[in-house]
Amino acid sequence: MRLILCGPPGAGKGTQCKRIVDKYALTHLSSGDILRAERAAGTELGKKAQGYMDTGALVPDDVIIGMMIGAIKKAAGNYVLDGFPRTLPQAEGLDKALREAGEKVDAIVNLLVDDEVIEKRLTGRRSCPTCGAVYHIENLPPKVDGQCDKSCGQLVQRDDDKPDVVRNRLKTYHEQTEAVVGFYEAEGRSILNINADRDIDEVTTAVFAALNKIDG
Ligand code: ADP
Ligand code: ADP
């Protein structure tokens, strides 16, 4: 199964992806996680991405398209894309690469949440730099304050989850990313719109119910 998970930053894409990949045995391809790993490893790609990520801007399309098409090829037709495509050129680049391979995306899951909710989610997000687990100081707190439940150690706040950058990321989302769903709608693809402004488990139940329909 080939899926795309769309939605604003903080909608719960990463949280829901972890559950989707467990249930449907897919590879989780998060453009943000891949970029953060490249930065941590100090690669050329990571260095190129750094300035954009720090201000809440998007990394240039040519860099992202090459990086993600490479990751998709390795995932052998079973994946969920998280955070990609984020612009119309990225959606077109993905479409072209899939068409050339005789493939297409099975569904687009679109998580819907208002901006006010997003700000609270992102500024309260805490992440484990070691295992990638994601918590929230109020909605999904770790068992011990500030510590990963998997004994990895200290949780961190992503620099781009600080209030100023969050506002820029939301602006970037409305200006450049929101249109991606329209692109798929115009192509007659299956868009699964999910109200993501409710409890994490309720969102998962709604996502699974929608996916079970397309999975037969
Ligand atoms: P979130 O999980 O909050 O939606 P991500 O981890 O997906 O955020 O992205 C963090 C940052 O990485 C973005 O603000 C952007 O700078 C960069 N980034 C991630 N995915 C893309 C993409 N598809 N195109 C361009 N930039 C991206
Ligand atoms: P995204 O990948 O879309 O940026 P995340 O999955 O990282 O979003 O979630 C952003 C923050 O909001 C995290 O701190 C997460 O624990 C929290 N969160 C995710 N889904 C929900 C939800 N349905 N209700 C409340 N908090 C949530």
Side-chain angles (χ1 to χ4, degrees):
M1 186 155 58
R2 299 177 183 87
L3 299 177
I4 299 178
L5 205 54
C6 289
K13 299 184 297 298
T15 302
Q16 297 302 329
C17 270
K18 290 206 165 63
R19 296 166 175 217
I20 294 170
V21 298
D22 284 349
K23 182 167 162 82
Y24 295 95
L26 305 176
T27 303
H28 181 188
L29 298 177
S30 156
S31 47
D33 285 351
I34 297 173
L35 288 169
R36 278 183 289 278
E38 295 280 345
R39 280 181 66 166
T43 65
E44 278 309 307
L45 198 159
K47 285 182 198 149
K48 225 183 259 179
Q50 187 154 348
Y52 300 97
M53 296 174 80
D54 287 345
T55 58
L58 294 181
V59 177
D61 287 331
D62 56 337
V63 175
I64 293 289
I65 294 171
M67 178 184 94
M68 292 306 289
I69 300 296
I72 286 169
K73 283 192 179 140
K74 288 189 201 144
N78 279 309
Y79 53 81
V80 50
L81 300 177
D82 167 6
F84 174 83
R86 236 172 167 109
T87 63
L88 289 176
Q90 290 181 19
E92 283 156 6
L94 172 63
D95 230 37
K96 181 166 172 279
L98 290 178
R99 221 176 318 118
E100 283 169 5
E103 299 171 356
K104 71 180 180 57
V105 164
D106 294 299
I108 292 98
V109 178
N110 188 26
L111 300 182
L112 304 164
V113 192
D114 290 339
D115 285 7
E116 307 81 71
V117 178
I118 296 292
E119 292 211 31
K120 285 206 192 85
R121 284 198 190 168
L122 288 180
T123 50
R125 173 159 64 184
R126 297 294 179 269
S127 318
C128 175
T130 306
C131 76
V134 172
Y135 301 86
H136 189 279
I137 49 174
E138 285 166 11
N139 304 336
L140 192 67
K143 291 192 188 101
V144 178
D145 198 25
Q147 299 290 317
C148 181
D149 288 354
K150 292 167 198 151
S151 308
C152 304
Q154 197 85 27
L155 300 176
V156 296
Q157 182 177 34
R158 276 170 45 180
D159 283 336
D160 62 347
D161 278 345
K162 308 235 160 96
D164 278 0
V165 186
V166 164
R167 277 190 286 277
N168 270 346
R169 288 164 65 201
L170 273 174
K171 192 162 169 274
T172 304
Y173 172 76
H174 290 303
E175 286 174 359
Q176 299 188 60
T177 306
E178 222 165 10
V180 168
V181 172
F183 168 88
Y184 287 113
E185 238 157 20
E187 298 235 319
R189 302 296 175 77
S190 173
I191 315 276
L192 311 175
N193 284 309
I194 307 286
N195 168 14
D197 185 8
R198 46 187 165 165
D199 189 79
I200 294 175
D201 289 341
E202 286 176 43
V203 177
T204 306
T205 303
V207 170
F208 285 176
L211 287 178
N212 284 342
K213 278 189 202 145
I214 65 141
D215 200 30

